[in-house]
Amino acid sequence: MDAEITREQLHAYLEEALSTAEMAKIENALRNNDTPRQLLRQVREELDRGEHSLGGVWRRERVSCLSRDQLSGYLHGILEADLHAYAEFHLKTMACPTCLANLDDLRDKQTESHGQARQRKQIFQSSAGLLKKQT
Ligand SMILES: [Zn+2]
């Protein structure tokens, strides 16, 4: 099982700012691997020294997951700046698996409906051409 753990994830782990599934994934990686364990020690020391403000960011930003509407708005680039920034953070920095899966799903649906619209247009055009020929 490939479990690449980043500093950011460990930060969030220490701050208990992750979902249960994410926590479990990291605990698993920590049990089976030396590398993340060493990294965890570093991150913990950094946190103790208060070197990273990231913890504060996690706490502040960890409001909740994005709704389908918000994700759809994000896809269309129509979110308010604040929400867009949060979405970017949630999807890219936190790489929330739930929201990323939702986003993928929405993107698929969007491509699908674009395809259907194109098809309808083609059908319409060809039948319009047909009608023209008949008259
Ligand atoms: Zn999420």
Side-chain angles (χ1 to χ4, degrees), residues 65-66 90 96 98-99:
C65 280
L66 298 154
H90 190 77
C96 171
T98 315
C99 289

Side-chain angles (χ1 to χ4, degrees), residues 6 16-17 26 45 48-49 53 60-61 84 86-87 96 105:
T6 65
E16 297 182 6
I26 287 170
E45 280 167 16
D48 286 347
R49 290 197 297 265
S53 58
R60 230 181 12 255
E61 301 288 346
H84 186 85
Y86 174 69
C96 171
D105 185 47

Side-chain angles (χ1 to χ4, degrees), residues 61 63 66 70 74 78-90:
E61 301 288 346
V63 184
L66 298 154
Q70 288 170 333
Y74 175 75
I78 53 168
L79 291 181
E80 282 173 37
D82 278 0
L83 194 55
H84 186 85
Y86 174 69
E88 291 256 292
F89 174 83
H90 190 77

Side-chain angles (χ1 to χ4, degrees), residues 11-25:
H11 262 282
Y13 171 74
L14 287 173
E15 308 248 317
E16 297 182 6
L18 291 175
S19 68
T20 319
E22 281 289 284
M23 296 287 278
K25 194 178 102 185

